[in-house]
Amino acid sequence: MILEIRIVNLSRKDRANMIITPDCLLLSMLASKAAPGLARTLTMARLHKWDCVHISDDAFLIASELITNAVVATPGEEIRYQCSRDVAGVLIAVWDASTASPQPRPLAELTLDTLDISEEHWDDNGGRGLPIVTALATECGYSPDPTGGKWVWARLKP
C-alpha cells in the first residue's frame, strides 16, 4: 500500500518558499523521538513510487540525521519534513524554528575507554550526523526561511 500525504495546513507563504511538485511529500510533525521513524516510513513509500528504492538506505539515514538535529534544536515544537524530486534528483529537507546554523561537532575518535555508555548518557555519543549527510549527498546545505527558522537539506542522485 502506498500512502499519499498532502499537508494543507502550511500557509501560502510557506509553500512559496519550497520546491513543491505534485508528488512531493511535505509533512508537519512534532519534534519528537518518533519523528525520524515516521519520516523513514513515508519516504519508503515515496521512493518506491518513484522507482528509487535503490537509494533508500542513504535517504533513510539522511532523513534520520536531519530530523534528529531538528528535534535536538527544537524539542516538542513543530518541524517540517519534505521529500521531493526534480530533474536534479531527490531532495530531503527539514525545517525547524531555530535560526542557528547547523554546526558539525569536531570529529573525535571514540574508543571503548572514551565512550560513555552510562544510562544517562547512552545516547549522547553522537555528533557525526552532518559529516554523514555530507558524505552521502551529492550536495547539501541550509537556507534561512524568510518566515523564520531554517531549512536544512540534502540532495541525492537516483
Side-chain angles (χ1 to χ4, degrees):
M1 179 172 148
I2 296 177
L3 299 173
E4 290 294 323
I5 302 288
R6 301 263 183 219
I7 303 300
V8 295
N9 61 350
L10 296 177
S11 72
R12 176 180 252 176
K13 189 174 184 181
D14 286 341
R15 288 175 189 238
N17 295 320
M18 298 298 301
I19 301 170
I20 297 179
T21 58
D23 58 354
C24 171
L25 170 65
L26 185 55
L27 179 66
S28 177
M29 63 182 130
L30 184 66
S32 71
K33 290 184 178 186
L38 174 61
R40 285 191 304 269
T41 299
L42 297 174
T43 298
M44 177 51 121
R46 197 54 43 135
L47 293 175
H48 181 75
K49 177 181 179 180
W50 296 336
D51 198 24
C52 293
V53 175
H54 58 283
I55 64 168
S56 62
D57 289 342
D58 291 349
F60 293 170
L61 189 51
I62 288 171
S64 293
E65 293 298 340
L66 296 183
I67 290 174
T68 298
N69 288 350
V71 168
V72 169
T74 59
E77 295 182 27
E78 175 192 20
I79 60 174
R80 297 177 194 144
Y81 174 70
Q82 175 185 338
C83 182
S84 59
R85 67 180 176 153
D86 57 22
V87 294
V90 173
L91 178 71
I92 295 172
V94 177
W95 175 89
D96 66 58
S98 171
T99 56
S101 62
Q103 298 293 322
R105 290 186 201 167
L107 291 178
E109 186 174 331
L110 291 177
T111 66
L112 290 177
D113 295 329
T114 60
L115 186 63
D116 185 355
I117 56 171
S118 62
E119 188 172 328
E120 63 272 6
H121 294 111
W122 74 271
D123 200 25
D124 291 343
N125 293 291
R128 293 163 206 74
L130 291 177
I132 290 170
V133 170
T134 302
L136 295 176
T138 56
E139 60 180 326
C140 59
Y142 78 97
S143 305
D145 190 308
T147 63
K150 67 181 173 302
W151 285 95
V152 183
W153 56 270
R155 185 176 302 281
L156 293 164
K157 291 274 188 190

